[in-house]
């Protein structure tokens, strides 16, 4: 990435229109994958998905990137891109409908590490450029996470990814072509062989193969690692500038930031083990004894067709299942409660009382007490049974 950005600055910036350069890169990369395109090999929802991913990760990202140069300097642009890991973690949680603290903590550490390397002061009027660049970070992260989500959900093989990646650049063209027509400068086109050669390299290798391999890698790691790798490009780019372009670099800050980035990778890798160990310790403690008594019940009711009470699922004695057989729509606590009442001397009276008793905390406590009795006893038949669950 550092080599790509440096090539753009050295040979194209100020001489070739930026929007035309990005449009050319998308066209060349699309031509690279167009002969491989086979839509019939792809699941139907993947086709529009890849178009959207390309439009976000390539098209909208570069438009926002070049718009930000109108308000902030190049060092500030490089600094504000370090927040991409946070966007990656949050978007992944959103797509999976969950909240994972571990990737966010690791991403925050990665932001600090990249900030150590990149920070070099801010101008007075950086707010607008910062906001535009955060939109670029969001769309770039959404493209990566979206591609990984498509690959995992539809189980795309390596061949399918090669055959369908041309759609990625078609989606990018759908955004970049109108952007160049509206914002580009037709008078600033490439006019030397060197400039066309740099565009060819950026389009075929850096954009074409680069985005393919990056997104394929994104589908093979978790969100925390993916976000951290976005910021690992910062020291990698500085090393490229140092070794190839002979640019000066603050080696002390580079080393310190790289250590912090390594720490973020370690935290992301160890976080699940820490909490898994703590969860096992909690389960092996005294709290494991009959969690049914402590579990709240909400909206219990008696089903007169199956003669089973239906209440929300709760955990019994540290497990997620009850040893008794159960009806298809009934929870273990409810079945245990009705079963325990049915074995008593006045079973019909108990069932009538449970049906007529209005909802109250006292009724919930009574159901929990009856369920606690049933957890260690076999239960009689009740409604439809699941043949795969053995009797207690």
């Amino acid at each position: 990435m550092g080599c790509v950005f440096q090539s753009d600055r050295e040979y194209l910036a100020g001489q070739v229109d930026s929007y035309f350069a990005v449009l050319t890169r998308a066209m060349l990369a699309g031509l690279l994958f167009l002969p491989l395109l086979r839509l019939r090999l792809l699941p139907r929802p993947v086709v529009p998905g890849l178009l959207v991913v390309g439009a976000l990760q390539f098209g909208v990202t570069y438009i926002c990137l070049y718009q930000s140069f109108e308000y902030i300097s190049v060092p500030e642009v490089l600094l504000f891109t370090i927040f991409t890991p946070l966007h990656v973690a949050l978007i992944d949680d959103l797509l999976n409908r969950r909240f994972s603290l571990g990737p966010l903590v690791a991403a925050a550490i990665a932001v600090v590490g990249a900030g150590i390397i990149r920070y070099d002061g801010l101008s007075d009027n950086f707010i607008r450029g910062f906001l535009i660049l955060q939109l670029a970070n969001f769309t770039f992260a959404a493209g990566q996470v979206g591609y990984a989500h498509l690959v995992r959900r539809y189980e795309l093989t390596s061949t399918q990814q090669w055959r369908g990646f041309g759609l990625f650049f078609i989606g990018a063209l759908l955004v970049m072509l109108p952007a160049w027509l509206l914002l580009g400068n037709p008078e600033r086109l490439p006019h030397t062989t060197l400039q066309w050669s740099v565009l060819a390299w950026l389009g075929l290798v850096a954009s074409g193969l680069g985005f393919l391999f990056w997104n394929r890698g994104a589908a093979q790691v978790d969100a925390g690692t993916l976000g951290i790798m976005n910021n690992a490009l910062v020291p990698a780019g500085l090393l490229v500038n140092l070794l190839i372009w002979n640019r000066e670099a603050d080696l002390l800050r580079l080393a310190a930031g790289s250590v912090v980035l390594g720490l973020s990778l370690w935290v992301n890798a160890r976080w699940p083990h820490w909490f898994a160990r703590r969860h096992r310790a909690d389960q092996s403690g005294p709290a494991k004894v009959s969690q049914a008594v402590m579990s709240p019940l909400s909206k219990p009711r008696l089903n007169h067709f199956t003669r089973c009470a239906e209440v929300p699922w709760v955990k019994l004695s540290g497990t997620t299942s009850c040893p008794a057989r159960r009806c298809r729509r009934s929870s273990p606590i409810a079945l245990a409660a009705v079963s325990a009442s049915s074995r008593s001397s006045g079973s019909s009276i108990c069932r009538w009382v449970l049906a007529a008793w209005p909802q109250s905390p006292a009724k919930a406590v009574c159901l929990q007490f009856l369920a606690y009795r049933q957890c260690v006893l076999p239960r009689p038949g009740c409604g439809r049974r699941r043949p795969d669950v053995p009797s207690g």
Side-chain angles (χ1 to χ4, degrees):
M1 182 65 72
C3 188
V4 171
F5 193 73
Q6 192 65 34
S7 300
D8 201 335
R9 292 178 59 188
E10 288 285 339
Y11 302 108
L12 302 179
Q15 305 174 44
V16 178
D17 180 69
S18 300
Y19 295 98
F20 179 81
V22 177
L23 177 64
T24 305
R25 290 170 58 180
M27 291 179 63
L28 291 175
L31 291 174
L32 177 66
F33 289 98
L34 190 60
L36 303 176
L37 189 60
R38 297 292 186 275
L39 297 181
R40 58 184 177 82
L41 298 179
L42 302 175
R44 185 172 299 177
V46 172
V47 175
L50 287 175
L51 292 174
V52 173
V53 166
L56 291 175
Q57 189 177 355
F58 197 99
V60 180
T61 297
Y62 275 102
I63 292 175
C64 295
L65 177 65
Y66 288 125
Q67 284 294 311
S68 67
F69 283 114
E70 301 291 333
Y71 305 99
I72 53 180
S73 61
V74 172
E76 289 173 330
V77 169
L78 298 176
L79 174 65
F80 294 152
T81 57
I82 67 175
F83 295 98
T84 305
L86 295 175
H87 294 276
V88 170
L90 291 173
I91 294 172
D92 182 73
D93 284 346
L94 182 64
L95 286 178
N96 291 287
R97 299 178 182 179
R98 69 185 183 207
F99 177 77
S100 301
L101 184 59
L104 277 176
V105 173
I109 298 174
V111 169
V112 173
I116 293 174
I117 302 174
R118 284 296 192 195
Y119 183 77
D120 195 22
L122 297 174
S123 60
D124 296 332
N125 303 316
F126 69 90
I127 297 297
R128 183 174 296 182
F130 172 81
L131 295 177
I132 294 175
L133 207 53
Q134 293 318 299
L135 178 59
N137 291 340
F138 176 82
T139 55
F140 190 67
Q144 300 172 69
V145 178
Y147 185 87
H149 182 74
L150 287 174
V151 171
R152 291 167 184 156
R153 180 173 181 178
Y154 297 102
E155 300 180 351
L156 300 182
T157 63
S158 176
T159 301
Q160 287 176 311
Q161 294 181 56
W162 278 93
R163 296 293 190 182
F165 204 70
L167 295 169
F168 177 92
F169 294 105
I170 294 176
L173 283 172
L174 294 177
V175 175
M176 290 309 306
L177 183 58
W180 179 67
L181 294 175
L182 295 174
L183 304 173
N185 185 0
E187 298 180 357
R188 294 171 54 189
L189 300 179
H191 56 274
T192 65
T193 304
L194 179 60
Q195 292 174 344
W196 282 109
S197 300
V198 171
L199 280 176
W201 182 82
L202 291 175
L204 297 174
V205 181
S207 295
L209 298 178
F211 272 94
L212 172 66
F213 291 133
W214 178 268
N215 284 334
R216 287 192 61 187
Q220 300 177 29
V221 298
D222 58 271
T225 303
L226 175 60
I228 295 168
M229 288 297 104
N230 277 267
N231 276 3
L233 293 174
V234 174
L238 289 179
L239 286 176
V240 169
N241 288 342
L242 181 66
L243 299 176
I244 297 180
W245 303 100
N246 296 320
R247 300 287 180 179
E248 294 182 359
D250 191 335
L251 297 181
L252 181 60
R253 291 173 58 183
L254 177 61
S258 300
V259 170
V260 176
L261 285 170
L263 175 63
S264 67
L265 276 175
W266 181 77
V267 169
N268 181 71
R270 296 300 303 171
W271 189 277
H273 301 282
W274 294 337
F275 281 85
R277 188 181 307 151
R278 179 179 176 182
H279 182 66
R280 288 195 299 267
D282 291 342
Q283 285 189 339
S284 61
K288 186 176 179 180
V289 179
S290 187
Q291 294 179 4
V293 180
M294 304 299 296
S295 302
L297 295 179
S298 61
K299 297 182 179 179
R301 62 186 183 274
L302 191 67
N303 188 326
H304 293 281
F305 295 99
T306 60
R307 293 193 175 185
C308 292
E310 296 175 356
V311 294
W313 182 275
V314 294
K315 293 184 178 180
L316 294 176
S317 303
T319 67
T320 57
S321 62
C322 185
R325 293 189 180 185
R326 63 187 183 89
C327 296
R328 186 179 298 273
R329 298 181 56 199
S330 300
S331 72
I333 275 192
L335 293 177
V338 175
S339 176
S341 65
S342 66
R343 286 197 303 273
S344 63
S345 57
S347 59
S348 60
I349 297 177
C350 288
R351 286 196 296 270
W352 181 85
V353 170
L354 286 175
W357 196 350
Q359 305 303 326
S360 65
K363 181 177 180 180
V365 172
C366 180
L367 284 172
Q368 290 172 338
F369 174 75
L370 294 174
Y372 179 74
R373 288 183 53 198
Q374 172 64 11
C375 278
V376 294
L377 298 173
R379 67 176 304 276
C382 180
R384 297 181 62 182
R385 300 187 179 184
R386 293 177 57 185
D388 57 327
V389 181
S391 58

